[in-house]
Amino acid sequence: MILGSQRFILWLVAVLLIIPLLIKGHCSSRNKGTAVAFSHPSSAQIIVRIKGSVPSPGIYRFPDGTTITSVINMTIAASADKVMVKATPGTLLKSGDIICLRPDGEKKLELTIGYMDAKELMVLGIPLQPDLLTADDWDALPGIGPELAKRIVFYRQINGAFYSVDALKRVPGIAEGKISQIREYFASR
């Protein structure tokens, strides 16, 4: 049985070990301008999901300007020479991209790039692009039902790109009130 004084000494040692970690992790990062865990991300970062045959699939933050080649080297460096890329390796990634690595049956990995759906983008705080949204994506937004979502996509196919959420005013049945209800999910131009 540990006596009260021994318990106090153990507690004191634990506190003394934790304090330098807290000081180094928080105070020094403020002085250097670097981010600590759980801090608000800077605008110079992109958010990408990596899935498939990778050691650690999940959501990653990379510096703005990151290419497919850099992501391969950072995430699966051991087998980077076995990756067949179905895109230009120097392509810059953007927030919302999905990088998928799948075996192609010849001891190689095939890399494809997709894009997150609207629900995932909204959860991650990535602004939506009105010209990339499917009917299901539009339907995920508050106040847009499945019928209006289909009309929006049909209108875009016939009349061309919206470029911004404000251009939705051209779609019959969408007024300023509906646009102001969903504006927060889109990038401002």
Side-chain angles (χ1 to χ4, degrees):
M1 173 186 268
I2 298 177
L3 300 173
S5 61
Q6 289 175 327
R7 229 183 265 160
F8 177 75
I9 291 172
L10 286 174
W11 180 84
L12 189 60
V13 169
V15 169
L16 291 174
L17 289 172
I18 291 173
I19 289 175
L21 294 174
L22 291 174
I23 292 171
K24 183 177 182 189
H26 292 285
C27 296
S28 63
S29 64
R30 285 190 200 114
N31 297 336
K32 295 178 186 173
T34 58
V36 294
F38 309 112
S39 68
H40 185 70
S42 72
S43 62
Q45 292 183 343
I46 59 169
I47 300 171
V48 175
R49 181 158 47 98
I50 299 175
K51 68 179 194 173
S53 298
V54 293
S56 299
I59 307 265
Y60 289 86
R61 289 187 193 279
F62 294 107
D64 197 19
T66 300
T67 64
I68 294 171
T69 304
S70 336
V71 169
I72 291 169
N73 291 334
M74 285 188 264
T75 58
I76 58 163
S79 56
D81 59 325
K82 298 177 184 175
V83 176
M84 292 186 337
V85 180
K86 287 195 168 185
T88 308
T91 301
L92 293 178
L93 295 171
K94 60 189 176 312
S95 281
D97 282 343
I98 300 173
I99 298 171
C100 182
L101 286 156
R102 297 274 182 224
D104 75 345
E106 300 173 9
K107 294 186 180 182
K108 290 201 175 245
L109 294 172
E110 178 183 4
L111 182 142
T112 55
I113 298 176
Y115 199 66
M116 296 177 190
D117 65 19
K119 290 177 184 176
E120 189 172 9
L121 294 169
M122 289 187 296
V123 166
L124 294 171
I126 300 171
L128 301 176
Q129 303 294 327
D131 297 318
L132 298 177
L133 299 180
T134 65
D136 288 337
D137 291 335
W138 283 108
D139 187 25
L141 291 166
I144 310 280
E147 292 305 314
L148 183 53
K150 289 176 190 172
R151 279 192 289 147
I152 293 169
V153 172
F154 182 74
Y155 185 91
R156 185 181 65 206
Q157 290 170 344
I158 300 299
N159 299 295
F162 292 120
Y163 300 110
S164 76
V165 70
D166 291 313
L168 287 173
K169 293 176 196 170
R170 302 186 317 227
V171 178
I174 297 185
E176 181 59 40
K178 181 97 44 199
I179 293 171
S180 63
Q181 191 177 6
I182 62 174
R183 180 174 305 195
E184 67 182 282
Y185 301 107
F186 293 85
S188 58
R189 290 196 179 219

